Amino acid sequence: MKMTFLSSGMMLSFIGFALFSISDACSKGLAGQLDPFEVAFSGGVLGFLILPFIRRPHEPYSDIFATDRPSMWLLRAISTFVSTAASVMAFMLLPMPEALALMFLMPFFVTLISVGLLKEKVSGWTWLSVVVGFLGVLIVLRPGVRAFHLGHLCAVIAAAANAASVIAYRLAGNNSARLSLFGSSLFGPLIGDGLLMLMHASWPHGAATWALLLGYGFLAALGQLFMMMATALAPANRVALPQYSQMIWAVVFSYLLFHQPLDTWTFVGIMVVTLSGMLHWIRQKLRYERIALEEHWRRHHTSEPQSAGP
């Protein structure tokens, strides 16, 4: 039964990350047609469609704003706004695998924030995976060889904003309502991107443009729903592993849809970045199995004296 739950959770996670990847491809397809902030705004609007599926019975919709730490709610909203706007611009300006490789810097920023601001202890495994990931990003960027432009900056900003969102979720604690956690990620893009798009907003023209715009927002929201279902069925370290399947989708879309093949060094850098994530997952897997073995040993040895008879 346990393996069934883990397997179904992993499958839901794979589907969720596939939906995110298709959503990103839709945003890239809108490059030159719509303002990036308008595209990001649509994600906030269409995200409300899945609220009924997240809401528990008898849970009021007002719980979207229910929080014991308003500062963390606001931080999540702002960081989500920044990450959505920056990621849409990055995918519009860069080949998808290149943009995604830079966004995989998120664990690097999480580690820096955890150590520098939260004073948390970080294991050697974590530092190793972070260093390997950073080297992979340097290979992709090749400073001094390739020009660093707005697309690269937006991808790095998206990674930093996602890291801030992760820290905000962590500091919010386990008592925050689910609607509150999800609602903050909706209102950030809704308000922030909504205000910024007013300067260059235009009405979408053509069925293809509307399909891409709706595809971006709806599939991103649907991916969130699948990820929430996955985390209810499997441990977080298992659910996070399929994130690296996004790189496969990105490479396929880059070649087949956008005709942007990768050069050799960019491909090598992407593989190094992916390896860094795998190192972190292996460490988490070993830690999870060690805890399970310790728990099994403790239960076995504490029950032994009670079962012993004369």
Side-chain angles (χ1 to χ4, degrees):
M1 180 66 71
K2 183 177 180 181
M3 288 306 297
T4 302
F5 275 139
L6 288 177
S7 300
S8 58
M10 288 278 285
M11 180 58 67
L12 290 172
S13 179
F14 269 113
I15 295 173
F17 283 117
L19 291 171
F20 289 146
S21 299
I22 301 171
S23 172
D24 294 334
C26 289
S27 70
K28 184 171 182 62
L30 290 167
Q33 301 183 52
L34 291 177
D35 182 77
F37 299 117
E38 185 175 354
V39 176
F41 171 80
S42 72
V45 173
L46 293 172
F48 283 94
L49 294 177
I50 70 169
L51 279 180
F53 300 97
I54 296 174
R55 173 179 169 269
R56 292 189 178 97
H58 310 298
E59 187 177 16
Y61 282 103
S62 59
D63 275 0
I64 289 178
F65 303 102
T67 177
D68 295 332
R69 303 190 66 179
S71 59
M72 290 301 103
W73 193 99
L74 185 61
L75 177 59
R76 290 195 303 272
I78 293 174
S79 58
T80 306
F81 147 60
V82 173
S83 66
T84 53
S87 62
V88 168
M89 292 185 69
F91 282 120
M92 285 185 173
L93 296 172
L94 295 174
M96 288 187 68
E98 192 169 335
L100 199 59
L102 295 177
M103 291 179 198
F104 281 172
L105 272 173
M106 188 264 286
F108 173 78
F109 289 115
V110 169
T111 302
L112 291 183
I113 295 172
S114 299
V115 173
L117 297 181
L118 304 183
K119 308 301 180 183
E120 294 182 353
K121 293 183 178 180
V122 176
S123 68
W125 273 89
T126 301
W127 278 117
L128 177 62
S129 66
V130 164
V131 170
V132 172
F134 187 71
L135 290 176
V137 169
L138 289 179
I139 295 173
V140 172
L141 290 179
R142 277 161 283 164
V145 178
R146 302 179 62 196
F148 187 85
H149 59 75
L150 180 60
H152 298 109
L153 178 62
C154 288
V156 173
I157 290 174
N162 281 326
S165 180
V166 169
I167 296 298
Y169 275 109
R170 185 186 300 174
L171 294 178
N174 298 323
N175 296 324
S176 298
R178 290 199 307 170
L179 283 182
S180 173
L181 294 173
F182 187 73
S184 60
S185 66
L186 294 180
F187 280 96
L190 193 68
I191 297 173
D193 292 310
L195 290 174
L196 290 176
M197 80 172 189
L198 293 178
M199 295 182 290
H200 304 99
S202 61
W203 189 256
H205 295 287
T209 302
W210 273 106
L212 290 173
L213 184 63
L214 295 175
Y216 165 75
F218 178 72
L219 293 178
L222 191 60
Q224 288 279 8
L225 178 60
F226 271 89
M227 291 304 300
M228 293 188 76
M229 292 190 295
T231 54
L233 295 176
N237 64 320
R238 306 292 178 93
V239 171
L241 176 62
Q243 177 184 7
Y244 291 91
S245 66
Q246 285 185 281
M247 190 60 75
I248 299 174
W249 288 100
V251 171
V252 171
F253 289 150
S254 186
Y255 274 85
L256 298 182
L257 297 181
F258 304 110
H259 310 293
Q260 293 178 317
L262 303 174
D263 60 63
T264 302
W265 280 110
T266 301
F267 184 79
V268 170
I270 287 171
M271 295 305 296
V272 173
V273 171
T274 304
L275 173 63
S276 73
M278 296 298 293
L279 284 173
H280 183 69
W281 177 79
I282 291 171
R283 185 258 175 184
Q284 290 288 90
K285 184 175 185 294
L286 292 174
R287 178 174 176 270
Y288 178 80
E289 292 180 350
R290 177 177 59 81
I291 292 174
L293 285 173
E294 289 176 354
E295 182 65 23
H296 175 76
W297 183 89
R298 189 180 300 111
R299 289 180 179 177
H300 176 74
H301 285 273
T302 54
S303 62
E304 215 172 50
Q306 297 176 1
S307 60

